[in-house]
Amino acid sequence: MTDEPTRKRRILLRSGKSPFDVASLEQSLHRDVFATNAGNLIFSDAAHKILTTPRAEVFSNGIRTDPSAAERINEEYDAFVVPLANAFRPTFERPLKRMTQLIKKLRIPVVVLGVGAQASLTYDASRLKPMEPTVREFVTEVLNRSASIGVRGEFTEQYLKDMGFRDVEVIGCPSMFLNGDTFQVERKTEALTADSLISVNGSHSAVRAHGLDSIIRQAHERYPHLRFIGQNLLEAQLLHWRETSNPIGAQASMPTHPSHPMYREGKVRLYVDPVTWIDELRAYDFSFGSRIHGNIAALLAGVPSTVLCSDSRTLELCRYFGIPHRKITETPKDIDPAELYAAADFGELVNGHKERFLRFTGFMERNGLENTFTHGDGGAAFDAQLGKLSFPPAVRPWIDSDPESLSGRFSWMQSRMEELTAQNTMLRSQLDRRSGPVSIKVQAGDGAAAAWPSAYRRARRVVGRPVRKLLRPEQ
């Protein structure tokens, strides 16, 4: 009788991409690898690292939910792990329903590694009432396949308990445990000065409705080395292509808009990979703004940070982890970042981290999941593998026209044109082989050109207005 090697557990992780998936800036934006918000990759990459042990392999499923893939998932994987952000919000109800449809068909354990409800700073859940049946069904199906459900903080815990659920555990967000049970934040300077390198972040809603634009504008005037770090897909499109089809992108008060002074001065960045995001932030002296994961990225780099909370999702995480924060509604619109820096206290964050880590890993163990810090090498192999890869640089404002800046964009557009031309040819061939009449709906226009969209027409939906003239065929 011989001992057969123990088969590794195969864990399917809901994430936009694997941490080891390297793509160009153009490919990343086209594929939307971070599911509209780069902050999603901060916690999904952390989950990937934490779950990787000698007895477990982790695979990314992509961010889209396909209920028809349930049988394949049952056959190929041993567990489905789902780290979520503010999934309990009205605008996410349809994706949440699709996820529930998938989970209903699964026979393997399903573990939610942190989820949050989004409401106001006063924790008023009334706006969530209409979607309560959807949330109830989702949580019920998850608990049918796990010992408990992990939530991000106090508000979400009470929200679910008010529905009658009891197997609810506050575990925060996996991103904060990227480096295990220790957490270090270093003040490089006693006080901020005009020479300090400062990062600021913020959502469109915080800039538009909560006066963050005024705070950013005055900080820009005071600190020449201020940088705005964007996170949304539409912001990346504006930086790289100077255009987006999303109407929210027209908000000129955002530093990611081409008309904004910070854009014109090249003082805006956006990262498509957490490893480059965190690494580049290590050089900064301070980070502040309304983006929770924008500031968590800075904290993971050891940089002092303060969150300007604009809703329950950020507030409950800050309270749970002891992250310095202020309610943005109570923050003066002329606040100096130096004041935020001086007032920030990291005692609770650092001193309470180990206890929170043990609570997090205890939740994992109760749900049948091992972690790399207790059962593996502490993420050493994971970090070494990342270190061997060459990730693309930050997305920056397109404010120059030198050949090096243009070559990557044009090369990608040419490849897309070739792909679309090949697809066009294939579709024509397939239709030519079909028997019987083919009904084609013709749009406005004359002749076959209107019935058969050219590769050019399809490509123009991908690229921005600044480069369309270069691709336009001669009339």
Side-chain angles (χ1 to χ4, degrees):
M1 184 175 179
T2 59
D3 292 332
E4 293 184 5
T6 303
R7 183 182 73 87
K8 284 189 175 184
R9 274 190 102 197
R10 292 170 57 87
I11 297 174
L12 185 64
L13 179 70
R14 182 182 185 270
S15 60
K17 74 179 186 73
S18 162
F20 310 113
D21 181 7
V22 180
S24 69
L25 293 179
E26 291 81 13
Q27 290 171 330
S28 297
L29 271 55
H30 180 62
R31 288 165 48 194
D32 186 14
V33 296
F34 41 68
T36 75
N37 189 328
N40 293 327
L41 291 182
I42 297 286
F43 62 76
S44 66
D45 275 22
H48 197 119
K49 176 181 178 178
I50 294 166
L51 288 163
T52 302
T53 71
R55 291 193 289 260
E57 293 179 283
V58 183
F59 303 86
S60 171
N61 78 323
I63 212 68
R64 292 186 179 278
T65 300
D66 181 9
S68 67
E71 194 54 42
R72 178 184 60 81
I73 293 172
N74 284 325
E75 292 176 359
E76 296 181 8
Y77 300 97
D78 301 293
F80 183 35
V81 177
V82 187
L84 293 167
N86 51 327
F88 300 156
R89 70 183 192 274
T91 55
F92 196 75
E93 185 171 9
R94 289 182 63 185
L96 194 64
K97 286 181 177 180
R98 285 198 302 272
M99 205 179 306
T100 304
Q101 291 171 7
L102 170 63
I103 293 172
K104 280 182 175 181
K105 298 178 180 180
L106 295 181
R107 300 187 298 273
I108 59 176
V110 177
V111 183
V112 172
L113 207 61
V115 62
Q118 182 176 342
S120 67
L121 285 169
T122 61
Y123 286 2
D124 179 6
S126 58
R127 70 187 292 266
L128 303 178
K129 192 67 177 177
M131 69 176 297
E132 186 173 303
T134 301
V135 174
R136 186 183 299 278
E137 185 179 23
F138 171 79
V139 175
T140 298
E141 294 300 331
V142 168
L143 291 177
N144 285 340
R145 294 160 180 80
S146 58
S148 57
I149 185 170
V151 298
R152 296 173 83 181
E154 58 190 1
F155 171 67
T156 307
E157 177 189 33
Q158 192 59 51
Y159 171 65
L160 293 184
K161 286 188 173 181
D162 286 345
M163 288 189 205
F165 295 107
R166 291 294 172 261
D167 298 319
V168 181
E169 297 187 54
V170 178
I171 60 171
C173 176
S175 59
M176 290 293 286
F177 305 113
L178 178 68
N179 300 316
D181 65 357
T182 59
F183 210 106
Q184 296 181 338
V185 178
E186 177 189 0
R187 288 184 184 270
K188 299 175 185 176
T189 180
E190 184 176 342
L192 296 183
T193 68
D195 294 326
S196 297
L197 183 56
I198 302 172
S199 164
V200 62
N201 51 73
S203 65
H204 282 75
S205 60
V207 168
R208 181 183 65 254
H210 298 293
L212 186 57
D213 57 334
S214 176
I215 296 175
I216 292 173
R217 183 173 61 254
Q218 294 183 66
H220 177 228
E221 294 170 355
R222 293 168 176 153
Y223 298 93
H225 304 293
L226 181 75
R227 298 292 183 270
F228 182 87
I229 311 295
Q231 288 185 207
N232 276 0
L233 175 63
L234 70 90
E235 294 171 340
Q237 292 169 334
L238 284 169
L239 291 175
H240 198 65
W241 297 115
R242 294 183 67 91
E243 186 177 86
T244 178
S245 60
N246 192 321
I248 298 176
Q251 188 175 322
S253 56
M254 283 292 290
T256 49
H257 192 277
S259 68
H260 196 281
M262 293 189 71
Y263 188 110
R264 297 199 303 268
E265 294 170 17
K267 295 180 177 180
V268 186
R269 304 285 185 272
L270 188 145
Y271 301 89
V272 296
D273 296 285
V275 61
T276 53
W277 191 353
I278 294 170
D279 282 349
E280 291 201 10
L281 281 174
R282 297 187 200 281
Y284 284 71
D285 297 298
F286 183 54
S287 173
F288 75 101
S290 68
R291 291 287 194 187
I292 184 65
H293 284 100
N295 290 300
I296 285 178
L299 289 169
L300 291 171
V303 176
S305 306
T306 296
V307 180
L308 303 179
C309 299
S310 60
D311 54 31
S312 64
R313 57 177 171 164
T314 53
L315 183 59
E316 68 173 356
L317 268 179
C318 287
R319 284 178 171 172
Y320 179 68
F321 283 108
I323 298 172
H325 63 281
R326 294 190 182 191
K327 293 182 179 180
I328 197 168
T329 53
E330 300 172 3
T331 303
K333 301 305 177 277
D334 60 349
I335 188 83
D336 190 322
E339 180 181 336
L340 298 174
Y341 180 84
D345 182 353
F346 301 95
E348 184 182 353
L349 168 63
V350 174
N351 298 331
H353 186 74
K354 186 170 185 177
E355 180 183 346
R356 288 185 289 268
F357 173 78
L358 293 174
R359 189 178 301 130
F360 178 78
T361 55
F363 165 84
M364 291 180 65
E365 291 176 8
R366 285 187 290 277
N367 282 280
L369 299 173
E370 294 185 337
N371 73 86
T372 188
F373 300 102
T374 306
H375 309 99
D377 63 0
F382 179 96
D383 292 337
Q385 186 174 349
L386 277 184
K388 295 176 182 177
L389 301 174
S390 180
F391 292 94
V395 187
R396 295 169 178 251
W398 188 3
I399 53 176
D400 49 28
S401 58
D402 65 278
E404 185 176 352
S405 170
L406 298 175
S407 62
R409 292 174 171 88
F410 288 163
S411 175
W412 180 81
M413 287 189 292
Q414 181 178 358
S415 68
R416 286 292 297 154
M417 290 282 286
E418 291 171 351
E419 290 173 13
L420 293 171
T421 299
Q423 291 173 14
N424 232 20
T425 302
M426 181 185 67
L427 290 172
R428 284 173 180 264
S429 176
Q430 289 175 351
L431 284 172
D432 287 343
R433 290 197 300 268
R434 284 185 58 172
S435 58
V438 177
S439 175
I440 302 175
K441 183 177 180 180
V442 180
Q443 309 249 337
D446 297 325
W452 298 96
S454 67
Y456 159 70
R457 289 186 184 176
R458 297 177 66 186
R460 66 185 289 187
R461 292 197 295 267
V462 177
V463 302
R465 183 178 295 117
V467 295
R468 286 180 184 160
K469 291 183 178 178
L470 297 172
L471 299 177
R472 194 180 305 280
E474 294 182 3
Q475 301 297 323

